[in-house]
Amino acid sequence: MKTLQHLLPGAQTNAVLDGTPTPLSSLDRAFASFLNQQIASDDARHLWLAALTSHQWTRGHACLDLAHLQSQPEQLLGWTTEHVQHLPQALHQAASTLPWAVGDNSPLILHTSAAHPQGLLYLRRAWTAEQQIRHSIQQRLAHPPEKAPDLQAQLDALFPDAKANDMQRKACEVAATQRMALITGGPGTGKTTTVVRLLALLVSQAQATQQTLRIHLAAPTGKAAARLSESIQKALTRMPQAVQQSIPTQAQTLHRLLHGIHDKQHLASDVVVIDEASMIDLEMMARLMQAVDDNARLILLGDKDQLASVEAGAVMSQLCTGSLLAQQTVTLTHSHRFDAQSGIGQWAQTVNADDNTQAVQALWRDAPEGFLSASHNVTRWSATQANDARFAQGVRQAWQTWLSQLQPHLGGKACGDDQALALLESLSEFCVLCALRDGSLGVTQLNAQIEHALGLGGSPWYVGRPVMVTRNNYALDLMNGDIGICLPAHDGVLRVAFATAEAKVRWINPSRLDHVDTVFAMTVHKSQGSEFRHVLLVLPQQDAPVLTRELIYTGITRAKERLTLWSPRPDVLLKACNQRVLRSGGLG
């Protein structure tokens, strides 16, 4: 390794990091160099620590865990053993003398505690967000639990079958007495049902004292918000009419909820319910908690075993498994969607288990080969290429209803609102989920193959092209994750149809859509918050850092009725099922 001994204080120091072949990005190196130009250091390890802290932030970690850097650097950094060999010796010990982690405005923060005696090294922005979350939680915990004299009787009425719904009842009781509650569980465990009963309880209590309860419902993406709205509407049909009228049925995106809310401003709300909270990153969670008044009730729903947020942080997982909110966290375990004989349920449960290699091998071996099976709801697919004729036949069969509805419009026949809504609904019957964006079995290539298999494409905008919005557009009222279909509108001109929260259609000129992707296939990350009747989960032929247990579990649990698991190499699948996402942070 090169040293700094030949460099003058403040001189260009990129040579220290550029001289070694590691996955550090140019941004990581530039960040370390910038810090050294501000306050020069004669210890090369300081440059490495600064660059690694930046590196970890871009990989989704809130901080650089110095204990893990010493004991398991390959797993922590996602590097090969060869790359790790370029790290200096006793690197973690140099953190205590970092010149850029001293003072109230230092760009780096070194935090030590009983839980982390060797320390966690943060970028200041990450440290600030984490401390805002911690402070907000502590403010909520400072409120004593609320007591209602008839709470148990109300819970008895809401949960008459206590044995089957004991954890749902527990979750409702916790959320009714605390200013903050976490309700976690896999698909079909009743998170939304529980929260609707909770809202019915809170509304009834408010009505008894002539009060009006202000309730906000939100989720990180447009698709997740639409699903929450649908679930709320369905669950409300079993509630008394007086209660139904006081509970909102339309959820909005988290970005929309917080849009225009600035520092020290609060939402005009008494209860805030956020679904798919595992998708919320560190800084967005800090914004949310600041925006919800400490006197209001904040309820986070999600699946702690799903993929963490795309941006830095694993807030939901760390809060659910840590001690900070242990008394306010309830885990729902009984699935009402997947019974003990369900193949999808078995796969989800097995993938999440430790030491699962033999069990996963058995499930793979027992699954029938092919795209669909009449007797099993999980099949395996071992083809190595997407140009296989069986693949084209499979996707045509899976989207058969959608294709038949689309057929009259391929020649330019105008599409009405009801027809557009039906096409959007039938499109979601099936989806191809990929682990990777690039490569022969990645999103880009498979979208092209599917267009060819379905006889579509040929121009940038064509009848039937499904697109996903990839960036919030407040001017068009479109959020990241919203899905539309290009169709001939009432006047025969091609426009993109998006469903609104009120089950109506908004027609957008394609020229106004700058940030959209074709979405016959999407990454598993993009699918979070969505569900499909049939999912084709595609794994590549080679290992990749993103292939983890959380990714496999998330992909599997997007399927409601059928799952086709496409893995040309079962050993890649097995390795992924034993690779955990362990994001560093101080909230656990």
Side-chain angles (χ1 to χ4, degrees):
M1 186 198 74
K2 296 186 179 181
T3 70
L4 290 176
Q5 294 175 355
H6 66 292
L7 296 175
L8 296 174
Q12 182 66 29
T13 56
N14 274 0
V16 174
L17 302 177
D18 288 341
T20 56
T22 67
L24 289 175
S25 69
S26 57
L27 176 63
D28 302 330
R29 301 167 195 265
F31 175 68
S33 178
F34 173 78
L35 294 184
N36 199 64
Q37 289 172 11
Q38 307 309 305
I39 303 176
S41 169
D42 60 0
D43 190 336
R45 295 175 301 173
H46 292 161
L47 287 166
W48 280 98
L49 288 171
L52 290 174
T53 303
S54 170
H55 173 73
Q56 290 299 84
W57 171 259
T58 58
R59 294 183 64 243
H61 295 263
C63 57
L64 174 65
D65 189 317
L66 297 175
H68 288 165
L69 180 63
Q70 178 189 14
S71 62
Q72 45 186 336
E74 292 93 346
Q75 182 179 7
L76 177 71
L77 301 175
W79 290 9
T80 65
T81 301
E82 180 183 358
H83 288 144
V84 166
Q85 289 175 349
H86 292 286
L87 294 175
Q89 296 295 317
L91 179 57
H92 62 287
Q93 295 177 358
S96 61
T97 57
L98 264 173
W100 314 307
V102 178
D104 294 337
N105 297 310
S106 61
L108 298 177
I109 302 288
L110 177 62
H111 172 69
T112 58
S113 63
H116 302 283
Q118 293 199 36
L120 303 174
L121 188 57
Y122 290 83
L123 299 177
R124 178 165 287 277
R125 62 183 291 188
W127 169 257
T128 299
E130 200 170 271
Q131 291 310 298
Q132 288 172 339
I133 293 172
R134 185 178 294 276
H135 174 74
S136 178
I137 290 174
Q138 290 170 341
Q139 291 292 103
R140 297 176 192 284
L141 296 182
H143 293 276
E146 300 176 25
K147 295 182 179 180
D150 57 348
L151 177 60
Q152 295 305 318
Q154 291 175 314
L155 290 171
D156 288 340
L158 288 170
F159 298 94
D161 187 0
K163 183 177 181 180
N165 298 295
D166 52 347
M167 292 311 293
Q168 289 187 21
R169 176 182 172 128
K170 176 67 174 177
C172 191
E173 181 179 3
V174 168
T177 57
Q178 303 284 342
R179 297 297 170 94
M180 183 172 181
L182 308 181
I183 303 176
T184 181
T189 53
K191 297 185 292 293
T192 307
T193 300
T194 300
V195 84
V196 167
R197 293 181 182 182
L198 166 67
L199 294 177
L201 171 64
L202 297 176
V203 165
S204 296
Q205 291 176 342
Q207 290 174 343
T209 57
Q210 308 299 312
Q211 295 180 329
T212 300
L213 208 61
R214 300 169 299 175
I215 301 170
H216 281 104
L217 309 173
T221 67
K223 189 66 176 179
R227 255 194 62 217
L228 177 59
S229 299
E230 181 183 348
S231 299
I232 292 283
Q233 293 166 13
K234 183 177 179 180
L236 275 178
T237 60
R238 298 185 289 272
M239 294 290 110
Q241 189 67 30
V243 170
Q244 290 186 33
Q245 297 174 351
S246 300
I247 297 178
T249 58
Q250 299 302 326
Q252 58 188 312
T253 65
L254 193 53
H255 285 88
R256 173 67 67 185
L257 176 70
L258 300 179
H259 187 58
I261 301 294
H262 304 293
D263 291 346
K264 298 183 180 180
Q265 290 182 322
H266 293 136
L267 292 165
S269 184
D270 301 302
V271 180
V272 177
V273 177
I274 308 295
D275 198 12
E276 298 291 350
S278 64
M279 299 170 65
I280 305 176
D281 63 80
L282 187 68
E283 293 184 310
M284 179 60 77
M285 187 67 82
R287 280 189 62 198
L288 170 66
M289 290 194 176
Q290 282 188 305
V292 179
D293 192 279
D294 293 339
N295 293 310
R297 208 179 304 271
L298 176 60
I299 301 155
L300 302 181
L301 310 176
D303 186 345
K304 63 179 176 57
D305 296 317
Q306 281 190 32
L307 281 167
S309 58
V310 175
E311 304 297 332
V315 183
M316 182 71 174
S317 176
Q318 291 176 4
L319 290 179
C320 285
T321 56
S323 59
L324 190 59
L325 285 170
Q327 301 304 312
Q328 289 73 30
T329 301
V330 181
T331 302
L332 307 181
T333 57
H334 177 70
S335 176
H336 301 272
R337 180 185 304 167
F338 306 128
D339 59 30
Q341 304 304 315
S342 164
I344 298 174
Q346 289 180 352
W347 269 94
Q349 187 175 31
T350 301
V351 166
N352 254 343
D354 293 327
D355 300 321
N356 57 21
T357 300
Q358 292 186 347
V360 172
Q361 285 177 322
L363 286 175
W364 175 263
R365 183 180 61 247
D366 294 342
E369 172 78 22
F371 216 87
L372 293 171
S373 169
S375 57
H376 293 76
N377 67 351
V378 177
T379 56
R380 57 184 170 91
W381 182 259
S382 303
T384 58
Q385 297 293 330
N387 57 7
D388 191 311
R390 296 172 300 166
F391 174 74
Q393 180 183 1
V395 297
R396 286 195 298 267
Q397 183 179 356
W399 267 309
Q400 184 175 12
T401 299
W402 183 73
L403 287 171
S404 64
Q405 293 174 342
L406 183 67
Q407 186 63 39
H409 308 290
L410 292 176
K413 181 180 178 181
C415 185
D417 287 7
D418 290 344
Q419 293 167 312
L421 287 173
L423 282 162
L424 285 165
E425 179 67 25
S426 59
L427 175 70
S428 65
E429 291 287 289
F430 174 65
C431 191
V432 179
L433 303 184
C434 302
L436 304 178
R437 172 164 291 278
D438 300 316
S440 62
L441 295 181
V443 167
T444 303
Q445 182 65 25
L446 284 180
N447 269 317
Q449 293 287 353
I450 292 169
E451 285 178 338
H452 179 74
L454 299 181
L456 301 174
S459 63
W461 288 101
Y462 56 84
V463 174
R465 182 191 177 193
V467 294
M468 174 183 282
V469 177
T470 58
R471 186 179 299 180
N472 293 338
N473 187 325
Y474 293 103
L476 296 178
D477 196 25
L478 293 176
M479 297 294 112
N480 184 11
D482 287 348
I483 291 178
I485 302 177
C486 185
L487 297 164
H490 306 276
D491 54 4
V493 177
L494 281 184
R495 292 189 177 88
V496 182
F498 291 91
T500 69
E502 297 79 22
K504 296 181 180 179
V505 177
R506 296 181 64 244
W507 296 90
I508 307 294
N509 192 312
S511 64
R512 301 185 67 191
L513 298 173
D514 296 328
H515 303 285
V516 292
D517 288 336
T518 301
V519 74
F520 287 114
M522 68 179 79
T523 62
V524 175
H525 280 85
K526 286 288 187 181
S527 76
Q528 290 187 93
S530 302
E531 287 183 340
F532 309 93
R533 188 182 65 82
H534 179 192
V535 163
L536 172 64
L537 177 58
V538 186
L539 302 186
Q541 297 190 57
Q542 67 284 343
D543 189 27
V546 299
L547 293 177
T548 63
R549 177 184 302 183
E550 289 81 2
L551 181 136
I552 303 298
Y553 171 81
T554 302
I556 287 171
T557 54
R558 299 312 89 203
K560 295 191 291 186
E561 297 179 17
R562 286 187 177 275
L563 170 69
T564 304
L565 191 55
W566 184 357
S567 182
R569 287 180 49 190
D571 60 306
V572 171
L573 169 64
L574 291 173
K575 184 176 180 180
C577 290
N578 282 281
Q579 184 70 33
R580 298 297 308 270
V581 174
L582 298 175
R583 287 192 172 180
S584 304
L587 292 173

